Amino acid sequence: MARISRTDLSGVVVLTTTGALDAATAAAWQSSAAEHGLPPGHALVLDLRETDFIAIAGIRAIGAVADHHDRETVLVLAAGHHLRDWIGLLGTRRHVRVVDRLGAALALFRQLQP
């Protein structure tokens, strides 16, 4: 079971996922992640560092959440580079950027501000 907790920072909403994000949990995770309101001008950061396993269904769900929030960039925190490869294969890279640390996500968000 994948669980989401929310943290609001200055200009950023962080959704931290724990558990597995796979075919059995992706749809419920996607619905839960989409329910979290995103104030205007805020970035969405999906923190997946505590996620035990991410399957292709989970990657698709990340893309769907990015589309739902209609964000040009959704920042994803992830330990390891395997997630970058999967996102590239699915063509969601235009919506999703993968970084390793929350500090890097916040810095990237500031750079993307108009």
Side-chain angles (χ1 to χ4, degrees):
M1 174 194 244
R3 290 173 298 286
I4 295 177
S5 62
R6 177 181 174 142
T7 305
D8 289 275
L9 303 174
S10 179
V12 178
V13 173
V14 180
L15 300 180
T16 302
T17 299
T18 56
L21 191 51
D22 55 20
T25 62
W29 177 88
Q30 181 180 330
S31 293
S32 181
E35 286 176 7
H36 289 272
L38 193 61
H42 279 59
L44 176 62
V45 173
L46 302 175
D47 185 350
L48 304 175
R49 293 174 298 169
E50 297 179 28
T51 305
D52 300 332
F53 175 77
I54 301 174
I56 201 84
I59 300 298
R60 287 188 180 119
I62 291 168
V65 168
D67 289 342
H68 171 79
H69 285 291
D70 194 26
R71 308 303 293 179
E72 187 170 306
T73 302
V74 173
L75 305 173
V76 178
L77 296 176
H81 297 286
H82 65 283
L83 191 56
R84 292 176 203 262
D85 296 336
W86 284 49
I87 289 170
L89 289 172
L90 291 175
T92 58
R93 192 162 289 211
R94 63 186 167 84
H95 297 290
V96 180
R97 301 204 183 187
V98 181
V99 296
D100 297 325
R101 298 176 327 277
L102 181 57
L106 297 176
L108 182 57
F109 172 65
R110 288 186 198 104
Q111 289 174 4
L112 296 171
Q113 291 287 307

